[in-house]
């Protein structure tokens, strides 16, 4: 799996997320070939120029784009159009997107330059449908004030939970990428006491310590977002969430981004959150956080990108 894209890298201080929708253009396939080569070159360039910056450019490809670009068949086993998940009160919406870019570095200038190169390459054959600039907030906290990503796997577990294995040998080393842009109602959130906020999350706010099971509410975020398999084994995803915000217009949010070896793991977590476990016992954080996007992509290995580049 050494030729995988940088899905198991840890979050960096600056991030740009971009989603593009492909046009019907006679130059589309040729432009996509050049784009794949560009992604590989950007990663090589930033590694050589800024070896200590932990910079990377990761490209994911959506289901419709995979078909439109005539990429290999059969496609990755769990790549599909994400279907909205509807609970009694909240909805994990589905939004379209063909290509997703995750740009990160310790220096914002690196992210910005990579975004410009990608935009120059894509603008003739695609339109931008989303761009979010994320940043590290204090000690990896979300705008809600709690540490984010505490349940992330570490060490070898990041490969195990984040990359496709032998179950889909043609795409081994690749990764399923699911993203959601959340907007937070900070007025309502700030109206809660710290103790009430901690019950919503299931952790202490200051020290990031998880509540004991007998104290933690069953509808807390931690209780519902942590999931198990049929045999009781713990299932994990690699979260690379980043906060974003525009204080002058009262817009604050979290860009949720998950890399996983299977999309079914992510979907089970979403069902727990939005439908509830049991149904109706939905994730209380959704009363303060609204998902406005939801898209699934597949991140191919570097070798596959190289083959796509022609």
């Amino acid at each position: 799996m050494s030729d995988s894209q940088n899905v198991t890298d840890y979050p960096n201080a600056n991030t740009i997320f971009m989603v593009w929708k492909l046009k019907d253009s006679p130059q589309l396939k040729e432009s996509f070939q050049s784009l794949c080569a560009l992604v590989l070159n950007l990663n090589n360039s930033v590694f050589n120029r800024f070896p200590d910056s932990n910079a990377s450019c990761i490209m994911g490809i959506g289901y419709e784009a995979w078909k439109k670009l005539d990429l290999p068949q059969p496609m990755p086993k769990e790549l599909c159009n994400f279907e909205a998940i509807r609970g009694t009160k909240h909805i994990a919406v589905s939004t379209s997107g063909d290509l997703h870019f995750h740009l990160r570095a310790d220096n914002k200038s690196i992210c910005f330059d990579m975004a410009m190169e990608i935009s120059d390459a894509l603008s003739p054959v695609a339109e931008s449908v989303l761009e979010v600039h994320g940043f590290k907030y204090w000690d990896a906290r979300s705008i809600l004030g709690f540490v984010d990503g505490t349940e992330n796997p570490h060490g070898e577990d990041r490969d195990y939970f984040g990359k496709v294995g032998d179950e889909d040998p043609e795409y081994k080393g690749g990764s399923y990428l699911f993203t959601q842009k959340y907007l937070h109602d900070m007025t309502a959130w700030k109206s809660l006491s710290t103790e009430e906020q901690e019950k919503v999350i299931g952790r202490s706010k200051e020290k990031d310590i998880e509540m004991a099971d007998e104290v933690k509410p069953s509808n807390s975020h931690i209780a519902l977002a942590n999931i198990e398999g049929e045999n009781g084994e713990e299932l994990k995803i690699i979260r690379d969430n980043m906060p974003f915000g525009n204080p002058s217009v009262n817009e604050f949010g979290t860009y949720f981004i998950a890399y996983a070896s299977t999309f079914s793991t992510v979907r089970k977590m979403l069902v727990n959150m939005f439908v509830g476990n049991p149904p109706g016992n939905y994730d209380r954080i959704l009363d303060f956080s609204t998902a406005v996007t939801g898209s699934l992509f597949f991140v191919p290995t570097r070798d596959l990108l190289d083959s796509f580049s022609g």
Side-chain angles (χ1 to χ4, degrees):
M1 296 189 187
S2 60
D3 79 320
S4 301
Q5 293 194 57
N6 299 65
V7 298
T8 57
D9 286 4
Y10 285 87
N12 214 319
N14 297 284
T15 306
I16 296 178
F17 303 102
M18 297 193 298
V19 179
W20 291 77
K21 184 74 173 176
L22 300 177
K23 301 176 184 176
D24 292 322
S25 168
Q27 288 81 40
L28 178 59
K29 292 182 181 179
E30 181 180 353
S31 296
F32 179 72
Q33 288 181 332
S34 299
L35 178 68
C36 291
L38 174 63
V39 170
L40 293 171
N41 282 325
L42 286 174
N43 282 292
N44 289 334
S45 175
V46 295
F47 179 78
N48 288 322
R49 295 173 63 203
F50 313 104
D52 299 322
S53 69
N54 296 314
S56 61
C57 167
I58 300 173
M59 181 174 73
I61 305 169
Y63 176 80
E64 296 298 336
W66 197 281
K67 293 192 299 180
K68 180 177 286 190
L69 294 164
D70 291 326
L71 298 181
Q73 296 290 337
M75 63 176 62
K77 289 182 178 180
E78 294 193 22
L79 181 59
C80 60
N81 284 322
F82 173 64
E83 296 183 1
I85 298 173
R86 298 177 180 273
T88 56
K89 186 174 181 181
H90 302 289
I91 302 174
V93 298
S94 171
T95 53
S96 62
D98 289 326
L99 300 176
H100 184 280
F101 296 90
H102 180 190
L103 315 176
R104 53 188 168 189
D106 61 358
N107 188 322
K108 190 171 184 178
S109 299
I110 301 174
C111 295
F112 190 78
D113 279 356
M114 290 193 292
M116 285 200 297
E117 292 293 336
I118 291 167
S119 299
D120 287 345
L122 270 177
S123 292
V125 296
E127 62 175 323
S128 171
V129 294
L130 180 71
E131 182 174 324
V132 175
H133 292 232
F135 61 96
K136 183 179 180 180
Y137 186 53
W138 297 113
D139 49 337
R141 293 177 184 265
S142 75
I143 294 294
L144 299 179
F146 286 76
V147 175
D148 200 359
T150 302
E151 295 296 324
N152 270 343
H154 298 282
E156 294 180 356
D157 283 348
R158 290 179 76 79
D159 277 339
Y160 178 76
F161 289 111
K163 300 176 184 178
V164 173
D166 293 330
E167 70 278 2
D168 196 357
E170 294 298 318
Y171 297 101
K172 184 176 181 179
S175 183
Y176 292 94
L177 163 63
F178 182 74
T179 66
Q180 291 175 302
K181 178 184 176 182
Y182 282 91
L183 295 178
H184 303 312
D185 184 345
M186 294 302 293
T187 301
W189 180 250
K190 290 179 179 179
S191 72
L192 300 181
S193 66
T194 297
E195 182 180 6
E196 289 174 318
Q197 290 180 358
E198 290 175 339
K199 289 179 180 179
V200 172
I201 302 298
R203 287 183 177 275
S204 62
K205 189 171 186 178
E206 181 181 357
K207 296 185 178 179
D208 189 37
I209 298 174
E210 186 173 344
M211 292 179 177
D213 289 342
E214 62 270 18
V215 177
K216 182 169 49 189
S218 63
N219 66 346
S220 66
H221 180 62
I222 297 299
L224 291 169
N226 291 346
I227 57 175
E228 296 181 346
E230 294 180 358
N231 299 320
E233 75 277 16
E234 190 175 18
L235 301 177
K236 288 183 175 290
I237 58 176
I238 296 177
R239 296 173 175 85
D240 210 340
N241 305 348
M242 295 293 278
F244 63 90
N246 297 292
S248 63
V249 294
N250 196 34
E251 180 185 73
F252 303 94
T254 297
Y255 196 86
F256 170 73
I257 176 168
Y259 294 108
S261 58
T262 66
F263 175 60
S264 55
T265 299
V266 182
R267 193 179 189 284
K268 183 174 183 179
M269 182 195 71
L270 293 171
V271 170
N272 266 15
M273 292 175 59
F274 285 84
V275 177
N277 186 17
N281 187 56
Y282 65 85
D283 191 336
R284 182 80 199 292
I285 201 174
L286 297 177
D287 287 337
F288 309 93
S289 307
T290 302
V292 295
T293 70
S295 305
L296 175 65
F297 306 88
F298 187 77
V299 178
T301 61
R302 295 174 190 264
D303 278 351
L304 272 180
L305 280 186
D306 191 37
S307 68
F308 295 166
S309 74

